[in-house]
mmCIF file of all heavy atoms in Angstrom:
data_model
loop_
_atom_site.group_PDB
_atom_site.id
_atom_site.type_symbol
_atom_site.label_atom_id
_atom_site.label_comp_id
_atom_site.label_asym_id
_atom_site.label_seq_id
_atom_site.Cartn_x
_atom_site.Cartn_y
_atom_site.Cartn_z
ATOM 1 N N ARG G 16 5.417 13.031 -2.040
ATOM 2 C CA ARG G 16 6.585 12.802 -1.203
ATOM 3 C C ARG G 16 6.480 13.711 0.027
ATOM 4 O O ARG G 16 5.982 14.842 -0.050
ATOM 5 C CB ARG G 16 7.877 13.167 -1.951
ATOM 6 C CG ARG G 16 8.105 12.353 -3.208
ATOM 7 C CD ARG G 16 8.556 10.962 -2.881
ATOM 8 N NE ARG G 16 8.869 10.222 -4.107
ATOM 9 C CZ ARG G 16 9.143 8.928 -4.118
ATOM 10 N NH1 ARG G 16 9.138 8.236 -3.003
ATOM 11 N NH2 ARG G 16 9.432 8.331 -5.263
ATOM 12 N N GLY G 292 1.014 19.846 7.043
ATOM 13 C CA GLY G 292 1.991 19.330 6.087
ATOM 14 C C GLY G 292 1.302 18.675 4.894
ATOM 15 O O GLY G 292 1.731 18.809 3.758
ATOM 16 N N PRO G 356 -29.514 -31.473 9.993
ATOM 17 C CA PRO G 356 -30.737 -30.701 9.739
ATOM 18 C C PRO G 356 -30.944 -30.499 8.242
ATOM 19 O O PRO G 356 -29.989 -30.255 7.501
ATOM 20 C CB PRO G 356 -30.479 -29.367 10.453
ATOM 21 C CG PRO G 356 -29.449 -29.689 11.486
ATOM 22 C CD PRO G 356 -28.588 -30.760 10.893
ATOM 23 N N VAL G 482 -63.349 -35.038 -7.089
ATOM 24 C CA VAL G 482 -63.872 -35.320 -8.433
ATOM 25 C C VAL G 482 -65.053 -36.283 -8.356
ATOM 26 O O VAL G 482 -66.089 -36.075 -8.997
ATOM 27 C CB VAL G 482 -62.768 -35.889 -9.338
ATOM 28 C CG1 VAL G 482 -63.346 -36.281 -10.701
ATOM 29 C CG2 VAL G 482 -61.646 -34.877 -9.519
ATOM 30 N N PHE G 544 -75.772 -26.573 -22.324
ATOM 31 C CA PHE G 544 -74.702 -26.090 -21.460
ATOM 32 C C PHE G 544 -74.749 -26.745 -20.077
ATOM 33 O O PHE G 544 -73.721 -27.180 -19.546
ATOM 34 C CB PHE G 544 -74.804 -24.565 -21.319
ATOM 35 C CG PHE G 544 -73.858 -23.969 -20.313
ATOM 36 C CD1 PHE G 544 -72.514 -23.803 -20.613
ATOM 37 C CD2 PHE G 544 -74.301 -23.584 -19.054
ATOM 38 C CE1 PHE G 544 -71.642 -23.264 -19.685
ATOM 39 C CE2 PHE G 544 -73.437 -23.038 -18.126
ATOM 40 C CZ PHE G 544 -72.106 -22.875 -18.447
ATOM 41 N N MET G 912 -39.943 -44.916 18.305
ATOM 42 C CA MET G 912 -39.243 -43.896 19.076
ATOM 43 C C MET G 912 -37.900 -44.374 19.607
ATOM 44 O O MET G 912 -37.097 -43.589 20.083
ATOM 45 C CB MET G 912 -40.116 -43.453 20.261
ATOM 46 C CG MET G 912 -41.404 -42.754 19.852
ATOM 47 S SD MET G 912 -41.109 -41.204 18.975
ATOM 48 C CE MET G 912 -40.490 -40.194 20.313
#
Side-chain angles (χ1 to χ4, degrees):
R16 299 285 184 188
V482 176
F544 173 77
M912 295 297 290

